[in-house]
Amino acid sequence: MSTIWLKVLVAIDNKNKVLQARSTTLDVETKNLNDLIEELKVLRDRWSNLYTEAKLVAGNMAESVDCETDFKEKRLKKRKIFHDETRDGTEHQLKNEEERFRIDVFFKILDSVLGGLSQRFEFAGKISNLFQCLWKYIEEDDSFIEQQCLSLCQTYKEDIEMEILNEFKHLKSIHRTNLGEQTLQPLSLINALRKNKLDSSLFPNITTAIRLFCCIPVSVSQGERSFSLMKRIKSANRSTMTQDRMNDLSILAMESDLARSLKYDDIIEDFAGKKARRVVF
């Protein structure tokens, strides 16, 4: 069991560390979930290797810990056969305890984990497919872009207008000239548009769609971190803190890496300029 769970949990933990990164978006989650499912499927077919590894570990521990290297054989129970039954096909008897453990424990563990991951991959894939025009508009034809834009407008009709179709056609025509030959992911695309000052002037609907996509949480860790930060910021000694001040301090704490990169001299100068009073000479 230790060998099995070590392989399963290490594979899941490695993907979780990638998904909990700050810049991870939903398209990255779907790719990592798909890779994790394929990795566990390969692990499901490697029972003999896992069993050999577990026996080696148990053999090394046998001197210090009372650990057996083989399964204990149990007596098979025989069921009474009635006069209208035949023995062939009426009862299933396992050959030994190793086969019983492989079928009743190992396969059930892997199938349960794979079932949960497949369900999560299905839901994440549906949302990712809805926004896939954001990083596939270069390689796909106009009919694909039109279908994707129509689905986006129907789902987010209060935020995105059908004018996004013309914006994608325009962006596709100027991409190689202004943004390079390489396909950009949503987060890199919105940064490139902002750097070239094209986000709100020429592509407002595309910018809105990218912001919606990038704000979709990949995991629940972001919400848990925000709640834990609020408990640390608003303590018993700070019970008189207003809601606006707590929100501002929470944002500074959550975006601490970005806050540390700011130049305080510019912020102080801007604040002093807004709060400056007229001096009478």
Side-chain angles (χ1 to χ4, degrees), residues 23 50 59 61 84 89 202 214 222-223 229 233 247 263 268 275:
S23 59
L50 291 175
M61 296 175 59
D84 57 345
L202 291 178
C214 292
Q222 297 175 357
L229 282 173
I233 293 171
N247 291 338
K263 295 181 179 180
I268 294 172
K275 297 295 182 179

Side-chain angles (χ1 to χ4, degrees), residues 132-148:
Q132 62 182 338
C133 58
L134 296 176
W135 59 88
K136 286 188 176 182
Y137 61 90
I138 298 179
E139 56 193 37
E140 298 291 344
D141 53 10
D142 293 341
S143 60
F144 172 82
I145 297 176
E146 183 177 357
Q147 182 181 1
Q148 290 287 303

